[in-house]
């Protein structure tokens, strides 16, 4: 469970971001992944194929072993252009060892919103595509495509995994939010915030 809270008293300054481990059967708290969110962070992704968790936020992506609840590696994104300041969603492409990261800078007009692509080994930036209101991303390995929901403009963009070009864009309705891809049924599920 990703947890984010803002301090309520004058003694509590700033925000608190945690990754909690909860038993799926009893919903009992099992512990916390220390250092999962070293600073502001909202992105959380589980890669079932590799059995790894990924968290991301302001300038970093962490790769976590959920069995030991330990951060295995931190990808330093401080050199990303534009600045990787508020990653909200992640999608892993295991075959090509890369991670897609949707960024949305709230309270702006979307000038730095977009989709980053980083190398999973070293964090090197492979691509950046501006996209007003990018808020969620998912990856389709069979088609080598990423899908990005563009919250501010009500569209879904289909990104070609070979050259990172936008293959097509669909008008989906107001405020497309989170997405999930079902590879068995070949369906993309899109939540709309109304």
């Amino acid at each position: 469970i990703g947890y984010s809270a803002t301090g309520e008293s004058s003694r509590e300054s700033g925000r608190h971001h945690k990754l909690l481990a909860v038993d799926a059967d009893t919903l009992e708290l099992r512990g916390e992944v220390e250092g999962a969110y070293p600073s502001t962070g909202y992105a959380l992704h589980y890669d079932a194929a590799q059995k790894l968790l990924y968290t991301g936020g302001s300038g970093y992506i962490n790769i976590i072993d959920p069995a030991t609840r330990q951060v295995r590696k931190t990808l330093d994104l401080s050199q990303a252009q534009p600045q990787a300041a508020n990653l909200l969603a992640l999608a892993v492409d295991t075959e090509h060892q890369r991670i897609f990261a949707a960024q949305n800078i709230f309270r702006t007009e979307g000038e730095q919103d977009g989709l980053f692509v980083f190398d999973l080994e070293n964090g090197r930036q492979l691509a950046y595509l501006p996209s007003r209101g990018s808020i969620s991303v998912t990856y389709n390995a069979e088609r080598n495509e990423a899908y990005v929901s563009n919250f501010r403009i009500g569209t879904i963009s289909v990104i070609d995994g070979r050259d990172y070009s936008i293959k097509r864009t669909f008008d989906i309705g107001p405020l497309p939010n989170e997405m999930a891809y079902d590879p068995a049924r070949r369906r993309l599920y899109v939540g709309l915030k109304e």
Side-chain angles (χ1 to χ4, degrees):
I1 294 177
Y3 170 83
S4 174
T6 302
E8 295 178 9
S9 74
S10 59
R11 291 181 307 146
E12 295 180 60
S13 62
R15 297 174 185 252
H16 307 279
H17 301 268
K18 299 178 179 182
L19 181 60
L20 305 176
V22 175
D23 185 290
D25 294 323
T26 66
L27 297 182
E28 188 175 311
L29 181 63
R30 294 293 183 205
E32 178 182 338
V33 178
E34 294 292 332
Y37 293 107
S39 63
T40 300
Y42 302 101
L44 175 63
H45 176 76
Y46 179 68
D47 180 357
Q50 298 296 310
K51 294 183 174 56
L52 293 172
L53 278 168
Y54 299 83
T55 59
S58 183
Y60 69 91
I61 292 174
N62 279 331
I63 303 169
I64 299 166
D65 180 344
T68 63
R69 294 196 300 255
Q70 298 292 311
V71 175
R72 277 191 180 176
K73 178 192 282 187
T74 298
L75 301 179
D76 177 4
L77 309 181
S78 62
Q79 300 303 308
Q81 290 298 318
Q83 180 183 6
N86 198 42
L87 303 182
L88 294 184
L90 304 170
V92 172
D93 171 11
T94 304
E95 180 182 348
H96 298 102
Q97 286 298 288
R98 60 189 172 176
I99 190 163
F100 296 85
Q103 170 161 280
N104 188 303
I105 307 296
F106 297 110
R107 298 179 189 90
T108 70
E109 292 302 312
E111 301 88 10
Q112 290 188 324
D113 296 353
L115 179 71
F116 289 98
V117 186
F118 296 106
D119 184 295
L120 267 177
E121 181 61 32
N122 56 28
R124 183 175 57 92
Q125 184 174 337
L126 303 175
Y128 175 77
L129 290 88
S131 176
R132 284 197 67 224
S134 58
I135 202 163
S136 184
V137 61
T138 191
Y139 181 71
N140 178 340
E142 179 184 352
R143 296 179 59 97
N144 193 15
E145 294 176 338
Y147 307 111
V148 182
S149 63
N150 305 304
F151 187 77
R152 297 177 199 272
I153 56 177
T155 63
I156 302 294
S157 296
V158 181
I159 310 302
D160 189 317
R162 292 183 303 265
D163 62 8
Y164 307 118
S165 64
I166 298 174
K167 291 172 81 170
R168 56 191 175 273
T169 300
F170 297 95
D171 289 323
I172 198 77
L175 308 175
N177 206 2
E178 297 302 320
M179 295 186 301
Y181 179 69
D182 178 353
R185 292 187 175 92
R186 301 178 71 196
R187 289 192 181 135
L188 180 65
Y189 296 91
V190 181
L192 299 179
K193 182 177 181 180
E194 294 184 345

